[in-house]
Amino acid sequence: DTAVSQTPKYLVTQMGNDKSIKCEQNLGHDTMYWYKQDSKKFLKIMFSYNNKELIINETVPNRFSPKSPDKAHLNLHINSLELGDSAVYFCASSQAGGVATQYFGPGTRLTVL
Amino acid sequence: DQQVKQNSPSLSVQEGRISILNCDYTNSMFDYFLWYKKYPAEGPTFLISISSIKDKNEDGRFTVFLNKSAKHLSLHIVPSQPGDSAVYFCAACCGGATNKLIFGTGTLLAVQP
């Protein structure tokens, strides 16, 4: 059983399009995250949700909107895609409270043409 | 402003020898440190962690050392195995921020048979 899963694994799209990436975890965790790994391999946090409530929101363009329908799911919707959005996006989850180890999904490679 | 740095982008070690991966950080508020391992086309996998109240944590072949005064940590793998070949990311947390991991840029470890 996959603990943290993401779909799709690869996404190729044109500039200006709107796309979504889905994430699901079956670990029973309360907190979920989105990270972006850019071409320089920097892995940076974008958002964090705890029990469907936004708790971390880094300096990310408004075109990125996370949505958490329930605590097992955290989707990422991106409007008006730009070339610079090309990256690998990782979803992660952890137990809530204090310092908790984060478990990552396999990543979604987004390519904007 | 890169708060967590891994200055060696790559490291090559012979099978059976010790691998030492280094990480430096600048924020003295960080109080928890983690190492993740990443294979190509997969998400990072948690390896080992250490709290700032300790200076060493060991788990099988993996040992993490923390030198708070130098703001430096290292991961020792002994003996190294070809299956250890991967990118290793150092991460730091939290300093009051809710479970927000700051990652280094990674070190590619190649263990030669």
Side-chain angles (χ1 to χ4, degrees):
Chain A
D1 275 349
T2 303
V4 182
S5 59
Q6 296 178 227
T7 53
K9 191 166 177 62
Y10 299 97
L11 185 54
V12 181
T13 188
Q14 299 287 329
M15 277 176 55
N17 284 350
D18 302 338
K19 291 293 179 185
S20 293
I21 306 172
K22 296 185 176 182
C23 178
E24 177 181 2
Q25 54 94 4
N26 62 7
L27 297 168
H29 290 161
D30 291 308
T31 306
M32 297 184 71
Y33 313 80
W34 276 109
Y35 285 83
K36 178 181 179 181
Q37 186 179 34
D38 61 22
S39 57
K40 294 183 179 179
K41 306 302 182 187
F42 287 112
L43 191 60
K44 289 187 177 179
I45 190 165
M46 300 172 68
F47 303 102
S48 172
Y49 269 74
N50 182 41
N51 239 339
K52 303 196 300 176
E53 181 182 347
L54 181 66
I55 55 172
I56 295 176
N57 185 352
E58 291 297 291
T59 308
V60 176
N62 291 338
R63 299 181 295 104
F64 290 78
S65 54
K67 286 185 171 53
S68 181
D70 55 62
K71 72 174 192 177
H73 296 85
L74 181 62
N75 304 323
L76 182 65
H77 189 75
I78 316 170
N79 288 329
S80 304
L81 279 156
E82 300 177 357
L83 293 176
D85 298 332
S86 295
V88 182
Y89 293 84
F90 290 100
C91 177
S93 72
S94 71
Q95 293 178 337
V99 178
T101 300
Q102 296 180 24
Y103 296 87
F104 284 78
T108 296
R109 180 173 291 278
L110 171 65
T111 303
V112 182
L113 303 175
Chain B
D1 180 23
Q2 192 66 12
Q3 298 184 70
V4 178
K5 299 179 183 179
Q6 294 175 256
N7 292 320
S8 297
S10 63
L11 174 68
S12 182
V13 171
Q14 288 292 320
E15 180 178 5
R17 308 292 287 265
I18 185 171
S19 296
I20 300 177
L21 297 101
N22 294 304
C23 178
D24 296 294
Y25 61 95
T26 57
N27 189 340
S28 57
M29 296 294 289
F30 288 142
D31 53 14
Y32 199 73
F33 304 89
L34 307 91
W35 284 94
Y36 280 82
K37 174 180 178 180
K38 185 182 180 304
Y39 293 118
E42 295 184 13
T45 302
F46 170 72
L47 200 54
I48 193 169
S49 62
I50 188 167
S51 164
S52 60
I53 63 173
K54 294 186 175 181
D55 55 18
K56 177 182 175 181
N57 188 26
E58 192 171 350
D59 183 1
R61 297 186 297 113
F62 302 91
T63 303
V64 56
F65 295 92
L66 175 62
N67 182 335
K68 284 180 61 180
S69 61
K71 296 192 180 69
H72 177 84
L73 64 154
S74 60
L75 174 68
H76 292 210
I77 307 172
V78 56
S80 300
Q81 299 173 354
D84 296 330
S85 298
V87 176
Y88 289 78
F89 289 96
C90 167
C93 180
C94 298
T98 307
N99 216 17
K100 176 181 169 182
L101 293 184
I102 307 296
F103 281 86
T105 49
T107 296
L108 175 62
L109 173 66
V111 180
Q112 309 296 335

